[in-house]
Amino acid sequence: MISINLSGKCGLVTGGTRGIGRRISLTLASAGARVAAFYRGDNNQAEATLREIGSANTHGQHLVYQADITNRDVVNDTVVRVGERFGGLDFLVLNAASGAGGSMVDMDADGWMKPFDVNVHGAFNVVKAAAPYLNDGASIVFISSGAGHDPMSGLSSYGASKAAVNHMAAVLAQELGPQKHIRVNVVSPGHTYKGDDDPNFNPEVWSQSQREIASTTALRRLGTSVDVANTVLFFCSDLSSFVTGQFLRVNGGRL
Ligand SMILES: NC(=O)c1ccc[n+]([C@@H]2O[C@H](COP(=O)([O-])OP(=O)(O)OC[C@H]3O[C@@H](n4cnc5c(N)ncnc54)[C@H](OP(=O)(O)O)[C@@H]3O)[C@@H](O)[C@H]2O)c1
């Protein structure tokens, strides 16, 4: 029987204490990995997630660090701390993101730049700081968005930043593969329901707007953070050891 076992592996998840990132941290820890989760603001949420990760995997110490990924000095210092504590990194999940809505011509320059600052330049800061610590065969996973591939009205700067993320990942795969067999892939969620964290969550009970979104997928349901996290788990595991430079939509076959 094949099972996914990340015992002995360790790595970093940005935006790893909340939303989809929290589920990714929990899933990787449940598979046996030690996880360091970066967050920006919410200390209470970070502590709660750290406790959950610790319950999911009691075989090693997990870490959470407050680190605004747009601040290069903070990122450098914090990544060094994680790299030294773990003695190397086997995976890096670039999940933290910022979006800005509204029509492009009505957007001010700050609103336009923010998604680029976090999604592109922030990811660059983390990748650059983490590179010296990446172990042979490490896996980098970028979390993108359907908006980075398909034009979506009102998501111009977010979508353009995610398109840049897709290209960054493809180039990194070419650059890092030959050196230490590092793989780089993109997971691109569609509309993702994060309420599956709720203990009362019932996937059979959707609101009208959720039903409408579900009807645009081939599988006729909303995606959940579990769907995204399980795909990240695959990319972080040896089951995908010959897969790099790929872009995988997790969107239920959006029509
Ligand atoms: N939800 C969806 O339907 C959907 C669809 C397609 C793609 N995605 C992508 O999936 C990923 C996760 O989405 P989500 O909905 O879970 O996002 P979310 O709930 O908005 O959470 C964003 C995370 O990013 C962190 N973050 C934001 N700016 C940061 C910064 N400057 N430095 C450090 N961390 C920062 C936040 O930290 P704090 O908790 O400290 O604020 C938070 O943990 C994102 O890449 C998003 O683009 C989501």
Side-chain angles (χ1 to χ4, degrees), residues 5 17 19 21 36 38 54 71 113 117 149 162-163 165 171 193 242 250:
N5 184 351
T17 63
F38 280 13
N71 186 322
M113 284 308 299
D117 287 342
H149 201 272
K162 291 294 192 177
V165 162
V171 172
Y193 183 64
F242 201 49
V250 181

Side-chain angles (χ1 to χ4, degrees), residues 15-21 38-42 67-70 94-98 118 143-146 158 162 189-194:
T17 63
R18 171 161 83 81
I20 293 171
F38 280 13
Y39 68 101
R40 177 188 44 180
D42 190 337
D68 182 337
I69 62 170
T70 65
L94 288 315
N95 165 79
S98 175
V118 177
I143 308 299
S144 187
S145 166
Y158 174 74
K162 291 294 192 177
H191 189 97
T192 302
Y193 183 64
K194 296 180 279 186

Side-chain angles (χ1 to χ4, degrees), residues 156-173:
S156 58
S157 60
Y158 174 74
S161 74
K162 291 294 192 177
V165 162
N166 298 344
H167 196 78
M168 276 171 79
V171 172
L172 261 184

Side-chain angles (χ1 to χ4, degrees), residues 10-230:
C10 50
L12 173 52
V13 181
T14 67
T17 63
R18 171 161 83 81
I20 293 171
R22 167 181 165 275
R23 179 57 60 188
I24 292 170
S25 297
L26 288 171
T27 300
L28 296 174
S30 297
R34 293 172 70 192
V35 174
F38 280 13
Y39 68 101
R40 177 188 44 180
D42 190 337
N43 295 322
N44 292 336
Q45 175 64 51
E47 281 167 22
T49 301
L50 181 61
R51 282 194 295 276
E52 285 182 294
I53 299 172
S55 307
N57 171 359
T58 55
H59 296 296
Q61 193 190 10
H62 308 282
L63 308 168
V64 292
Y65 284 113
Q66 187 172 25
D68 182 337
I69 62 170
T70 65
N71 186 322
R72 200 168 302 152
D73 291 337
V74 168
V75 169
N76 286 341
D77 290 350
T78 316
V79 169
V80 166
R81 286 162 74 184
V82 173
E84 297 297 326
R85 288 282 289 276
F86 281 170
L89 296 169
D90 299 299
F91 56 84
L92 188 58
V93 183
L94 288 315
N95 165 79
S98 175
S103 85
M104 199 190 311
V105 292
D106 292 333
M107 199 173 273
D108 63 21
D110 287 347
W112 173 260
M113 284 308 299
K114 181 118 193 267
F116 287 90
D117 287 342
V118 177
N119 307 349
V120 180
H121 308 314
F124 167 81
N125 292 338
V126 177
V127 168
K128 193 161 168 55
Y133 293 99
L134 290 171
N135 293 329
D136 196 282
S139 171
I140 300 177
V141 183
F142 285 82
I143 308 299
S144 187
S145 166
H149 201 272
D150 308 316
M152 292 186 192
S153 182
L155 292 178
S156 58
S157 60
Y158 174 74
S161 74
K162 291 294 192 177
V165 162
N166 298 344
H167 196 78
M168 276 171 79
V171 172
L172 261 184
Q174 296 300 321
E175 292 180 352
L176 297 183
Q179 296 171 16
K180 293 198 286 186
H181 316 108
I182 293 168
R183 299 179 296 110
V184 187
N185 292 289
V186 178
V187 171
S188 179
H191 189 97
T192 302
Y193 183 64
K194 296 180 279 186
D196 54 343
D197 291 338
D198 183 340
N200 298 317
F201 169 65
N202 179 353
E204 301 303 320
V205 181
W206 300 112
S207 69
Q208 182 57 30
S209 65
Q210 288 165 338
R211 275 180 215 287
E212 282 166 17
I213 293 166
S215 73
T216 66
T217 70
L219 296 177
R220 296 292 191 270
R221 72 165 174 86
L222 286 186
T224 67
S225 53
V226 172
D227 294 316
V228 179
N230 286 344

